[in-house]
Amino acid sequence: MRGSSNLLLSLDHARYIACAVDTEILQTNTPELFAEAISRAAATLRRGEVVAVPTETVYGLAANAQEAESVGKIFKAKQRPQKNPIIVHVASESMARDCVVEWPESASLLGQAFWPGPLTMVMPKADCISANVTVGGDTVGVRWAKHSFMQALIESCRFPLAVPSANLSNHLSPTTAAHVKSQLKGRLPLIIDGGAANVGIESTVADLTGVARVLRPGMISAEAIAA
């Protein structure tokens, strides 16, 4: 049995090596490099590929949230269980509203207080968001990140991005491009180096489908959301 297990692991590793891609890291520390990184990342995402991107919380692995095949590549690159939904990132409240079918008053209040920033709001999903994002569920978590690169990238793409943390499943969330490279090199074509993440932990997730409640703690406390 152990020999069979080892053979399967060896075959999986061989398949990974055969499918490995060249991973390039792009800098963003000058206006020219920033603009080039936006252009390259947006083009890569439009082709249906995944790109590791900086946010103010942790680095994320982005794909077009409206394309099932693109989102599927996130699960493959991260070795993520197919039961874990993915947060959708937007660049404006109007884009967030397009991702959901209901926009409660609590979303307006929380958006005014904490967006752009490390808050994800869960609401009923619109049809434009791939079912792969929500793993078949009828709600979606939406976040408007504060990081300038993420805002510019989504504005350039003109579609929302599915973005979980850019690490292998069950590993620590990365806060630098180097952390991403150490885990995902060969699994994606592009990593954007936007410097170290300022927050270092994932966003607070609040469910707004009923009475607002925190599903995942983060920088924004349950007390602040209640207030």
Side-chain angles (χ1 to χ4, degrees), residues 64-86:
N64 186 341
Q66 298 176 337
E67 293 184 353
E69 186 176 347
S70 300
V71 176
K73 292 179 181 179
I74 291 177
F75 287 93
K76 183 178 179 181
K78 283 175 59 70
Q79 299 178 334
R80 184 182 179 94
Q82 292 282 346
K83 61 183 180 180
N84 294 343
I86 298 174

Side-chain angles (χ1 to χ4, degrees), residues 123-164:
M123 291 168 279
K125 180 184 83 70
D127 289 341
C128 65
I129 300 300
S130 168
N132 272 13
V133 171
T134 63
V135 292
D138 56 6
T139 60
V140 64
V142 183
R143 180 162 99 88
W144 179 2
K146 192 173 184 178
H147 199 284
S148 60
F149 186 88
M150 277 295 289
Q151 292 186 14
L153 177 60
I154 297 170
E155 287 170 359
S156 178
C157 290
R158 297 186 180 180
F159 50 72
L161 297 178
V163 190

Side-chain angles (χ1 to χ4, degrees), residues 11-25:
L11 288 171
D12 284 343
H13 182 69
R15 289 191 196 101
Y16 165 67
I17 294 297
C19 297
V21 299
D22 292 331
T23 300
E24 185 178 2
I25 297 180

Side-chain angles (χ1 to χ4, degrees), residues 29-113:
N29 53 342
T30 71
E32 293 77 17
L33 290 173
F34 187 96
E36 174 67 13
I38 290 292
S39 177
R40 292 275 306 279
T44 302
L45 290 163
R46 291 190 195 103
R47 290 198 304 270
E49 300 299 329
V50 295
V51 177
V53 293
T55 80
E56 76 276 22
T57 54
V58 297
Y59 271 70
L61 188 59
N64 186 341
Q66 298 176 337
E67 293 184 353
E69 186 176 347
S70 300
V71 176
K73 292 179 181 179
I74 291 177
F75 287 93
K76 183 178 179 181
K78 283 175 59 70
Q79 299 178 334
R80 184 182 179 94
Q82 292 282 346
K83 61 183 180 180
N84 294 343
I86 298 174
I87 291 171
V88 170
H89 286 236
V90 298
S92 66
E93 183 180 299
S94 67
M95 184 180 284
R97 286 174 179 265
D98 289 340
C99 295
V100 301
V101 294
E102 294 178 20
W103 188 263
E105 178 62 21
S106 56
S108 294
L109 294 171
L110 290 172
Q112 290 169 13

Side-chain angles (χ1 to χ4, degrees), residues 54-59 147 174-179 192-200:
T55 80
E56 76 276 22
T57 54
V58 297
Y59 271 70
H147 199 284
T175 56
T176 68
H179 293 163
I192 307 301
D193 189 344
N198 294 327
V199 175

